[in-house]
Amino acid sequence: MAAVHQQNVTVWRVTGTAPRLNFKQMRKINVQVIPQGCLWNPVCDVLCLLSRQQCSFYFRHTQNRGSFAFPSLEKEKISCGCWSQDGRRLVLGVGAALLIYTWADVDSNISDFVPAAWCIPGALGSITALSSASSSTFVCASDQPLERLCKKKDVDAFLLPADLKETCDSLSIKDSLLHLQQNPKADMQDTAMLHVLKLPPDMRDPLVVAKVAIANMLSPDLLCFQSESQCVVVGSNTQSQFQIFALLDNHLVPAGHMSLAKDEKPKGMCNLPAALASNAVGVLVLVGTAKPTDATFPSSSSLAHFTLSLTVLPY
């Protein structure tokens, strides 16, 4: 088991059966990982850690510890990543591009891989989340580009009070800026997108199997594909609501939504363990409940203090 801390990652050996589990720390790795940047290979004992500009691998955690790293990125930043279900491919999101690495045997020779890069046609924003659907199929979310959020057509995106200048001295910042009404004549675009991609075995450009717009979600950074139901669950760590899409005949179809309480935000999401998945349809969510604050402005997601808990969210 890998546990992410503020300045490092610790790797633990877990033995026993629940609820009597024994934990022994095996190693401490001084890497500051990005959110959702701790990736275990699904078929072998290789841990991939993603920082903003570095992708590194750690293996043989008990004896003769090993590590390997790709060259650091100089300009672009890594936003997300995932392994294929067979453990032979690693896909990274870097800006609007996908970096794809393929191994013949990642466990025996991690430095022997074939790299490729690809941009998703029609994806206007940066890639924010990735999830594996099979050994060659991936689900990818891209965000709403900031420069297209308020595209002007000779009108303002928000309605400004006519007496704003005269009343600035008497109005608080909260009253004057956080409560502006959207201008119905403005062109407000929802262009966060969800794509299903298939990677050909000959390493040619991936194919876009299906795509759909994600309404009312600017930065979909939580993503989970469920093989049993053929459903994609997408969320954001700044919103309490998840959206569900069904993959039917190479089409993504909206299939509902599920929500946490208003003061709760999802901080992580994954499929249910096999022991639970046979009895329930849903996802395992790390829930952050915000602690009260006296600040006028809401705290950012990265700086706010939360009480964390795990819950099964059915759908």
Side-chain angles (χ1 to χ4, degrees):
M1 181 184 75
V4 177
H5 310 272
Q6 188 171 7
Q7 301 292 333
N8 54 67
V9 175
T10 53
V11 178
W12 302 74
R13 171 182 282 174
V14 184
T15 58
T17 56
R20 296 182 178 179
L21 298 176
N22 300 310
F23 297 85
K24 182 179 179 180
Q25 182 174 328
M26 307 307 297
R27 70 192 302 180
K28 181 179 179 181
I29 305 169
N30 292 320
V31 175
Q32 290 181 273
V33 301
I34 62 176
Q36 322 305 322
C38 184
L39 310 174
W40 281 107
N41 187 291
V43 298
C44 62
D45 192 21
V46 174
L47 175 63
C48 174
L49 298 181
L50 304 179
S51 59
R52 285 300 175 197
Q53 295 179 301
Q54 183 77 65
C55 175
S56 51
F57 304 86
Y58 301 87
F59 42 92
R60 295 195 304 268
H61 306 290
T62 56
Q63 297 179 357
N64 300 320
R65 295 173 181 168
S67 63
F68 175 77
F70 292 151
S72 298
L73 299 178
E74 295 183 0
K75 296 182 180 179
E76 297 289 346
K77 295 182 179 180
I78 300 171
S79 57
C80 56
C82 73
W83 291 99
S84 60
Q85 291 187 4
D86 62 1
R88 294 184 56 218
R89 278 190 171 120
L90 176 71
V91 180
L92 303 180
V94 180
L98 291 175
L99 303 184
I100 306 164
Y101 302 89
T102 303
W103 286 265
D105 189 344
V106 67
D107 196 24
S108 62
N109 193 354
I110 198 168
S111 62
D112 185 13
F113 58 87
V114 178
W118 192 65
C119 290
I120 303 172
L124 302 175
S126 298
I127 297 166
T128 55
L130 284 160
S131 180
S132 175
S134 71
S135 60
S136 60
T137 306
F138 295 83
V139 183
C140 170
S142 59
D143 66 5
Q144 162 82 18
L146 183 59
E147 64 272 15
R148 293 176 61 90
L149 177 59
C150 300
K151 183 180 180 182
K152 291 188 177 182
K153 287 187 177 179
D154 299 325
V155 295
D156 291 321
F158 297 97
L159 296 175
L160 301 179
D163 60 344
L164 180 62
K165 183 176 181 181
E166 291 77 8
T167 58
C168 275
D169 293 337
S170 60
L171 288 176
S172 70
I173 294 178
K174 178 179 179 181
D175 291 335
S176 61
L177 296 183
L178 297 185
H179 291 171
L180 294 180
Q181 294 182 352
Q182 181 180 329
N183 190 339
K185 296 181 180 180
D187 184 17
M188 301 290 286
Q189 300 187 11
D190 272 325
T191 56
M193 297 293 295
L194 195 62
H195 293 82
V196 178
L197 311 172
K198 188 170 183 63
L199 307 185
D202 56 7
M203 293 302 296
R204 290 183 301 172
D205 288 346
L207 304 174
V208 178
V209 176
K211 65 179 180 179
V212 68
I214 308 172
N216 305 316
M217 191 176 292
L218 300 182
S219 183
D221 50 13
L222 298 175
L223 192 61
C224 187
F225 177 81
Q226 299 214 303
S227 300
E228 297 80 6
S229 62
Q230 290 291 292
C231 283
V232 180
V233 182
V234 59
S236 169
N237 63 27
T238 62
Q239 297 178 225
S240 300
Q241 187 177 91
F242 298 84
Q243 297 186 37
I244 306 169
F245 297 87
L247 182 58
L248 303 172
D249 297 325
N250 292 337
H251 290 83
L252 284 166
V253 181
H257 64 273
M258 51 191 182
S259 301
L260 300 172
K262 289 184 178 181
D263 62 339
E264 296 178 338
K265 298 293 185 293
K267 297 302 165 187
M269 178 173 62
C270 67
N271 283 321
L272 294 175
L276 297 177
S278 58
N279 299 320
V281 177
V283 290
L284 184 64
V285 179
L286 179 65
V287 178
T289 304
K291 295 183 178 179
T293 177
D294 296 328
T296 303
F297 283 96
S299 300
S300 70
S301 175
S302 60
L303 297 179
H305 295 282
F306 294 90
T307 300
L308 300 177
S309 60
L310 284 172
T311 186
V312 175
L313 203 58
Y315 64 86

